[in-house]
Amino acid sequence: FYPNRCPFCDGFIKWDELCCAECDGKIERSGNICSVCGKPECICDSGIHYDGAVVPFLYEDVSKKGILTLKTGHGMTAAEYFGNAIADKIHGEYDMIVPVPMTKKKIFARGYNQAELIAKTVSAKTGIPVVNDALCKKSDKEEQHNLSREERIKHISGLFGEGKKNIEGKNILLCDDVITTTATVNECARILKDMGAKTVTVTAAATTPLKNT
């Protein structure tokens, strides 16, 4: 038996809570981000392939800790917390939620895809089905964390590909954990549009301020 802990501060919480009241009050809400690109300072003129963005938090302090613990497997309730927050902000009709994919090798090493865990919570609250075979990730290159936006755009080329699912004419919610430079979600959106998707709306738990991109 392991006691329930807050995924943001690691403090003890009740068995039916997702985080402590203090962290829930301190987490950085996204506020007036661009509703299209999902960034605090609009970069829509840089060539965005998706049609909108739904992002409840900024990637700072509290939310950053939650996402990092989710990635390391020590704060799994963060996926449910973030998914609930996304579901509360969703408006409009969507045919499916498509998580940004990971390679099978990476999933085997980590045990899960954190974007899929968030997507499953969104699905549970909204009834929109999660579809995992619309996209695939072909390979893992070196990590992108320290790359500029221009470097990430070049780096991302060829990493993702089309899946088996027919998405012709569908309205898609593309789900990731964090939007940084937009390179990953933009490439995935481009592929989905090439496959015939009618619209692609990006959603993520958090978006980085421009200074971090």
Side-chain angles (χ1 to χ4, degrees), residues 96 134 165-170 172 192-193 195-198:
M96 62 186 71
K165 184 71 174 181
N166 181 1
I167 60 168
E168 186 78 29
K170 301 299 184 182
I172 293 175
L192 292 170
K193 287 288 188 73
M195 293 171 66
K198 183 179 180 181

Side-chain angles (χ1 to χ4, degrees), residues 54-98:
V54 179
V55 189
F57 304 111
L58 293 177
Y59 188 67
E60 292 183 336
D61 299 330
V62 177
S63 61
K64 182 177 181 179
K65 289 177 183 176
I67 289 170
L68 293 177
T69 57
L70 174 59
K71 287 185 174 182
T72 58
H74 298 298
M76 303 300 283
T77 56
E80 190 173 351
Y81 180 89
F82 291 136
N84 286 340
I86 289 170
D88 288 341
K89 290 178 70 70
I90 288 176
H91 302 286
E93 299 293 328
Y94 297 97
D95 298 296
M96 62 186 71
I97 306 172
V98 176

Side-chain angles (χ1 to χ4, degrees), residues 15-191:
W15 67 270
D16 59 347
E17 293 179 334
L18 299 178
C19 75
C20 71
E22 183 176 356
C23 287
D24 185 50
K26 289 168 57 178
I27 194 167
E28 304 82 4
R29 265 69 182 182
S30 56
N32 295 321
I33 64 170
C34 176
S35 61
V36 179
C37 69
K39 303 304 295 178
E41 296 184 29
C42 180
I43 57 170
C44 290
D45 59 358
S46 63
I48 299 296
H49 295 291
Y50 48 94
D51 303 284
V54 179
V55 189
F57 304 111
L58 293 177
Y59 188 67
E60 292 183 336
D61 299 330
V62 177
S63 61
K64 182 177 181 179
K65 289 177 183 176
I67 289 170
L68 293 177
T69 57
L70 174 59
K71 287 185 174 182
T72 58
H74 298 298
M76 303 300 283
T77 56
E80 190 173 351
Y81 180 89
F82 291 136
N84 286 340
I86 289 170
D88 288 341
K89 290 178 70 70
I90 288 176
H91 302 286
E93 299 293 328
Y94 297 97
D95 298 296
M96 62 186 71
I97 306 172
V98 176
V100 169
M102 294 169 59
T103 61
K104 292 181 179 180
K105 179 180 179 181
K106 193 73 170 282
I107 292 176
F108 180 79
R110 181 172 292 174
Y112 56 91
N113 175 356
Q114 67 273 6
E116 182 182 354
L117 294 183
I118 294 170
K120 285 181 176 179
T121 295
V122 178
S123 176
K125 287 203 70 174
T126 63
I128 307 167
V130 175
V131 172
N132 285 308
D133 58 350
L135 291 170
C136 66
K137 191 170 186 184
K138 299 177 181 179
S139 64
D140 284 312
K141 294 182 181 178
E142 66 276 9
E143 294 294 336
Q144 302 186 87
H145 306 309
N146 296 318
L147 301 180
S148 68
R149 185 170 193 273
E150 291 74 18
E151 290 170 333
R152 286 196 184 205
I153 290 171
K154 294 178 181 178
H155 178 268
I156 209 77
S157 178
L159 261 63
F160 296 94
E162 298 182 4
K164 299 177 181 179
K165 184 71 174 181
N166 181 1
I167 60 168
E168 186 78 29
K170 301 299 184 182
N171 296 304
I172 293 175
L173 196 62
L174 176 66
C175 184
D176 205 357
D177 54 351
V178 183
I179 300 176
T180 50
T181 63
T182 72
T184 295
V185 291
N186 204 39
E187 175 66 4
C188 289
R190 182 192 65 78
I191 294 169

